[in-house]
Amino acid sequence: MASPYSDGEREKVASKLPPTLRQALKTRAAQLGIDMQVAVTEAVERWLGREAGQDATVDTAGADSFNTWLPAGLYDTFKAECSARDISFVQGLAQAIRAWVDSHAAPLTDLTIPRLTRRFIVCNQKGGVGKTTVAAGLAQAIALGLPATTGASKLPAMPGLRVLLVDYDPQGHLTEQLACKQIAPGTESLVTHMVERERVVGSLMDHIVPIAPEHFDGRLFLLPSSFEAFLLDSKLGGVRGPREALLQRALAPLEEHFDVIVIDAPPNLGLAMDAGIYYAHRRKNEAKGNSGVVIPVEAEDSSAHAYLMLEGQINTVSLDYEVDIDRLGLVVNKYDVRKGYVVATALEQWQSLQDPPVLSVVPDLKEQREAVHVKQPLLQYAPSSTQAQRMREIRRRLG
């Protein structure tokens, strides 16, 4: 399946590829400093130039969605040749990419580990603590980047990165706040890509929406929530095999398109949250603190109790599946000094934890509520506000 590219020179191609072959392609392209779509174009062109039967059959069992951009018309030519050779498009693409990887040896001096997409899961079992606010603000700050600082605290600039916000909460507050629509019932969504793969024919990339591209330089995107997410826990309960990796499997094809994925998680302790926490785990060769959970809290007692429940769930997932899950930090949100002794004492208690550290204290001010009311990103609506500055602080602290 192909759809036109915006400039007419390329078209988006949606196919499938075995996960191991996709990873091999991604790794080799990174080692050679070649854009993946350039590598796939070269692979397809070389395959077309070889006679039928020269390429060994590739095992495509378990192939997942794979998307790229090819020069306009090339995919039609490729499909016609696949039909002539009496093989599937998936098999033809797998043969082409397998041959390209095998014919491009990694540099002998290249010991670099390919970059992993960073994954920030913004979560708390308690609702109303500002998960959506923190997830959205963090993603916006990452997309915009940070300038270098001067004076006593000389800090380097942080370039803007391509960020995908994932609204994993069935309530859809993030989607609504960014003036987008939830994915309708019966339509492919993150839920179907997790638990109903037999219904999947398209790509999640088809549902991704750019957010204020003129302000964020085309680097901020949203995967909207789905009404069917209300049923995700029950659907996960009926899945055979390991459920914890279903979110990771669904989002894996998107990772090559983004530098960072930020997930606004649901306020519960169910199976969907298990999958969300698991997605944050430290992967092989990934540096400690590169990915993990960010936990918004409030300066009050019930928030502390909810944090302990979430901490218990993180420990359970970590032990059950033998993975490391980094707690990147707390964000004390909606802080109002006028509430006196109770909030001051609670803040001291959060800060005394030290591990995880308090990344920032975000005051309860009007700008965030106004941004939600007008359905604009906070860092677009009030970029100089104290709350916006705190989101930049969180981004800086995460490195």
Side-chain angles (χ1 to χ4, degrees), residues 51-364:
E51 293 183 3
Q54 283 189 255
D55 294 282
T57 299
V58 177
D59 183 3
T60 59
D64 283 334
S65 298
F66 175 74
N67 305 280
T68 190
W69 300 92
L70 294 179
L74 180 60
Y75 196 53
D76 288 336
T77 302
F78 167 74
K79 291 192 295 182
E81 184 61 25
C82 286
S83 297
R85 299 185 189 189
D86 196 25
I87 60 174
S88 68
F89 307 148
V90 173
Q91 177 62 217
L93 184 62
Q95 290 181 10
I97 291 176
R98 180 75 270 168
W100 186 90
V101 171
D102 291 344
S103 64
H104 287 73
L108 295 177
T109 58
D110 192 337
L111 299 178
T112 302
I113 298 171
R115 176 192 61 81
L116 286 168
T117 297
R118 300 186 74 180
R119 303 164 317 283
F120 299 134
I121 316 303
V122 182
C123 55
N124 193 323
Q125 180 270 339
K126 186 176 185 293
V129 297
K131 293 185 300 296
T132 298
T133 295
V134 173
L138 171 59
Q140 292 163 39
I142 295 172
L144 286 173
L146 300 175
T149 61
T150 58
S153 59
K154 293 182 179 179
L155 298 172
M158 295 181 126
L161 303 175
R162 284 176 60 86
V163 187
L164 175 64
L165 265 169
V166 177
D167 194 347
Y168 192 46
D169 187 341
Q171 297 174 93
H173 294 318
L174 176 61
T175 299
E176 182 181 355
Q177 289 179 18
L178 295 176
C180 297
K181 293 182 178 180
Q182 281 191 291
I183 298 174
T187 306
E188 285 188 17
S189 65
L190 180 57
V191 174
T192 59
H193 279 254
M194 287 178 66
V195 297
E196 299 179 45
R197 297 182 68 192
E198 68 280 359
R199 288 176 52 189
V200 171
V201 294
S203 164
L204 282 178
M205 285 293 292
D206 296 331
H207 296 286
I208 288 174
V209 181
I211 302 299
E214 71 291 343
H215 185 78
F216 295 98
D217 295 327
R219 291 193 292 260
L220 182 62
F221 299 83
L222 171 72
L223 178 59
S225 64
S226 165
F227 288 104
E228 292 186 340
F230 281 107
L231 303 175
L232 182 54
D233 270 342
S234 62
K235 289 177 181 290
L236 285 169
V239 172
R240 288 187 173 183
R243 295 182 289 247
E244 76 285 351
L246 293 178
L247 179 63
Q248 178 171 308
R249 186 183 68 182
L251 294 178
L254 305 182
E255 291 181 7
E256 62 202 42
H257 300 280
F258 300 96
D259 301 300
V260 181
I261 294 179
V262 179
I263 295 181
D264 182 20
N268 66 48
L269 297 175
L271 296 174
M273 195 59 223
D274 279 351
I277 292 171
Y278 181 84
Y279 184 63
H281 82 270
R282 196 189 315 155
R283 299 180 185 175
K284 183 179 179 180
N285 296 326
E286 185 171 17
K288 183 177 181 180
N290 188 67
S291 300
V293 296
V294 175
I295 307 171
V297 296
E298 289 183 278
E300 44 91 43
D301 294 339
S302 63
S303 195
H305 179 67
Y307 168 75
L308 292 175
M309 295 175 67
L310 175 64
E311 179 67 15
Q313 184 176 18
I314 294 173
N315 284 331
T316 298
V317 172
S318 181
L319 291 171
D320 285 352
Y321 303 114
E322 299 181 333
V323 293
D324 294 314
I325 300 168
D326 294 329
R327 286 78 157 169
L328 301 180
L330 307 173
V331 177
V332 182
N333 193 37
K334 299 194 291 187
Y335 185 75
D336 188 349
V337 69
R338 295 172 301 179
K339 293 181 179 179
Y341 172 77
V342 172
V343 297
T345 302
L347 176 59
E348 289 177 0
Q349 292 174 341
W350 288 126
Q351 291 172 328
S352 68
L353 287 177
Q354 297 186 356
D355 185 16
V358 171
L359 300 172
S360 186
V361 178
V362 183
D364 186 11

